[in-house]
Amino acid sequence: GDAQMSIHNPVYPPKADLLAASQKPIAAWITTSALVSMVVGVVVFAAGLFTSPDRIWRAFHFHWLYFSAISSGGVMFVAIFRIVTARWSRSIARMMEGYVAFLPVSWLFLVLSTTIGGEHIFPWVADVNSLPNSERVFWLGNHTFFALREIGIVTVLYALQIWFVYNSLRIDVAQLPEWGAKWGAGLRARMRAGWGEERRELHNQHSVQGKIAVAMAIIFGFGWMMLHYDLSMALDVFFFSTLWGWWSFMTGILGFLMSFSLIFFMWRKHFSSPVIDEILGDQQIHDLGKLRFAWTAFWGYTTFAQLLIIWYGNIGEETHFFRLRLISPWLPVTFSVLMLVFIAPFPGLISKAAKMFIPTNILFAVVSLLGTYLQRYIEVYPSLYGVPTDGVPFGWQELGMAAMYFGIWIICYTQFFAAFPRLRISWMTSKYRDEVQIPVDVRTMEPLPAHE
């Protein structure tokens, strides 16, 4: 019983020790490499606009789906921790919140791809007559309605996600000594303004975050389903699947969990000290392993459920989509997705030993990330290219966009942690941290009746 209690309500090191252990600067080579990667990608993008605009915009779009779903999924996962008040996650939640840093870039890139890049990516923008019926003409045929809808969804969702992380950062920034990159100084000053007495503020912030988290969960689920229907499924103007939206956005959360486990090991190595090893220990590794296993199983379940219904329905407008992906030259890619996302990680992550052993842990994370990357590719490319005679279109354009997005993502993530506290120190060290489990009226600090 005592052991269980310590797992779910751990004792953390003192505030000063956590602060000292977590302020080591991020290695310069990481930012430099990311910058080089980004510059190479931008040059490739510029070259592509002149030589093969359709191809470069499509590569741009498929990478947008991959990186944006992972980043938004990361913030959603922290909100899930708040909804279920997962106390075990306090030591890792801030490292997840860093995924929010890519969202402003993601928003800008979606504006570019739905407006300037629209005619190169979406078949109906170039030719509205490609749409097979009046319902699709209504939904997709008006380019302004289409672009505003997609931009509107991400604007509302990303604003909520940024607001959630802003509130989370405020708790630490307001109570810790001034520290961090100059670009964040103004933001940090704003976070400190109006901060009141610790106990009242913790209750208030916990309550506000709970409300934002629930709103975010509803808009995240609905919003990403709509985005994947419009930006991924509809690229094949005849195909539809009601499972498509949530299968696709759950892939984003799976990608987040896999990428975060790699980042977790990097942080652990970067900060390595007795203090950090205590809070980023075996328990967190095991818990992350269990989450990754659960999402891998869920991905396999939704993939099979979608395929099974289409297979026994045997309706042409549904089956042609999978037939295209199960013939040459696309079949090896489709088969690789199944192998990398499900068949390899599922048995590999069943055992506790494989979850805890760092080399296998890293191996399955990399394998699954590659698989979900190819999944985004196979969602988008066959719908746009049909049956190419000269092999799958994967060349310098796609590699360049991968370099650009990866470089920008790493820069966003590292800059976030150059400017803000790396750990949720207040939630680990405040003497009021567990009091917030019982909601109070923040004006009187009296517990609220259960029905409220």
Side-chain angles (χ1 to χ4, degrees):
D2 290 345
Q4 278 303 105
M5 190 62 201
S6 69
I7 287 169
H8 297 291
N9 192 16
V11 177
Y12 293 106
K15 183 188 279 193
D17 292 359
L18 284 171
L19 201 57
S22 65
Q23 288 191 346
K24 183 180 172 188
I26 291 160
W29 69 265
I30 295 176
T31 340
T32 310
S33 310
L35 205 57
V36 170
S37 183
M38 180 187 81
V39 169
V40 168
V42 170
V43 169
V44 169
F45 184 64
L49 289 176
F50 289 105
T51 59
S52 46
D54 285 4
R55 177 83 176 265
I56 203 76
W57 275 113
R58 290 165 183 184
F60 183 88
H61 179 60
F62 123 63
H63 285 90
W64 184 89
L65 286 169
Y66 181 72
F67 282 89
S68 301
I70 285 176
S71 302
S72 182
V75 185
M76 186 63 239
F77 219 85
V78 185
I80 293 168
F81 285 154
R82 165 59 195 92
I83 291 167
V84 302
T85 56
R87 286 184 278 182
W88 73 270
S89 69
R90 285 172 178 165
S91 61
I92 59 170
R94 177 60 47 74
M95 298 169 186
M96 295 179 167
E97 286 170 352
Y99 279 64
V100 78
F102 181 73
L103 297 186
V105 178
S106 169
W107 182 88
L108 175 66
F109 281 4
L110 182 70
V111 171
L112 292 176
S113 61
T114 51
T115 54
I116 303 167
E119 61 182 322
H120 301 288
I121 303 165
F122 308 105
W124 59 85
V125 175
D127 177 20
V128 76
N129 296 322
S130 65
L131 295 166
N133 56 38
S134 57
E135 292 89 349
R136 283 179 171 81
V137 169
F138 163 74
W139 190 246
L140 299 170
N142 182 329
H143 186 202
T144 308
F145 173 45
F146 167 74
L148 287 176
R149 185 170 72 239
E150 313 315 319
I151 295 164
I153 289 169
V154 294
T155 302
V156 174
L157 175 60
Y158 288 3
L160 270 178
Q161 297 199 304
I162 291 166
W163 187 26
F164 179 87
V165 176
Y166 178 88
N167 274 291
S168 173
L169 287 169
R170 192 166 175 242
I171 295 173
D172 285 321
V173 168
Q175 300 184 83
L176 296 175
E178 170 60 12
W179 168 90
K182 280 195 184 123
W183 73 262
L187 262 174
R188 293 193 297 269
R190 195 174 308 152
M191 287 171 183
R192 286 195 178 89
W195 181 266
E197 181 257 330
E198 182 189 9
R199 183 174 176 228
R200 193 181 298 270
E201 288 285 6
L202 277 190
H203 275 280
N204 185 34
Q205 291 295 331
H206 187 73
S207 170
V208 167
Q209 281 187 324
K211 289 166 187 163
I212 301 172
V214 171
M216 190 204 299
I218 295 164
I219 292 168
F220 178 88
F222 177 75
W224 272 110
M225 273 166 54
M226 296 299 293
L227 289 166
H228 283 295
Y229 286 139
D230 285 356
L231 301 174
S232 160
M233 184 184 82
L235 294 171
D236 182 325
V237 293
F238 294 96
F239 175 67
F240 63 89
S241 161
T242 47
L243 256 168
W244 187 268
W246 53 287
W247 173 67
S248 288
F249 85 69
M250 285 300 179
T251 300
I253 291 187
L254 174 64
F256 155 69
L257 286 168
M258 293 298 179
S259 63
F260 179 71
S261 54
L262 296 176
I263 285 173
F264 172 85
F265 289 123
M266 287 176 189
W267 275 122
R268 202 163 169 254
K269 192 172 179 197
H270 175 70
F271 286 148
S272 189
S273 70
V275 173
I276 296 296
D277 294 348
E278 186 182 333
I279 62 165
L280 305 181
D282 288 351
Q283 189 57 45
Q284 279 71 26
I285 296 173
H286 192 205
D287 285 339
L288 283 169
K290 287 183 278 191
L291 287 168
R292 289 159 60 203
F293 175 70
W295 246 263
T296 298
F298 188 74
W299 185 92
Y301 160 69
T302 49
T303 305
F304 181 68
Q306 183 168 241
L307 191 67
L308 183 71
I309 291 164
I310 289 171
W311 175 73
Y312 72 61
N314 201 22
I315 303 165
E317 60 190 358
E318 293 176 357
T319 52
H320 80 275
F321 182 91
F322 285 98
R323 181 188 170 273
L324 174 59
R325 284 153 177 81
L326 292 169
I327 59 172
S328 182
W330 305 109
L331 175 61
V333 186
T334 307
F335 184 67
S336 299
V337 172
L338 194 60
M339 287 296 296
L340 296 169
V341 187
F342 183 72
I343 292 171
F346 182 80
L349 289 169
I350 282 180
S351 81
K352 180 176 178 180
K355 292 187 191 84
M356 302 297 291
F357 184 53
I358 292 173
T360 50
N361 204 314
I362 290 171
L363 171 71
F364 291 125
V366 171
V367 159
S368 185
L369 277 170
L370 180 59
T372 50
Y373 177 79
L374 292 175
Q375 180 194 324
R376 295 295 180 213
Y377 177 84
I378 209 78
E379 280 180 38
V380 171
Y381 270 50
S383 298
L384 297 172
Y385 289 99
V387 187
T389 49
D390 52 352
V392 294
F394 195 95
W396 60 268
Q397 295 95 335
E398 288 73 23
L399 290 170
M401 288 304 88
M404 184 178 86
Y405 270 87
F406 182 72
I408 292 172
W409 197 95
I410 296 294
I411 289 167
C412 291
Y413 189 82
T414 52
Q415 283 304 303
F416 178 90
F417 285 104
F420 300 111
R422 279 85 178 272
L423 297 169
R424 280 184 165 182
I425 290 173
S426 299
W427 282 124
M428 289 192 271
T429 58
S430 171
K431 60 185 176 189
Y432 308 115
R433 66 183 186 270
D434 294 325
E435 223 185 74
V436 295
Q437 305 288 104
I438 299 162
V440 299
D441 180 331
V442 291
R443 288 162 303 181
T444 62
M445 296 306 287
E446 292 295 318
L448 285 169
H451 66 272
E452 291 186 29

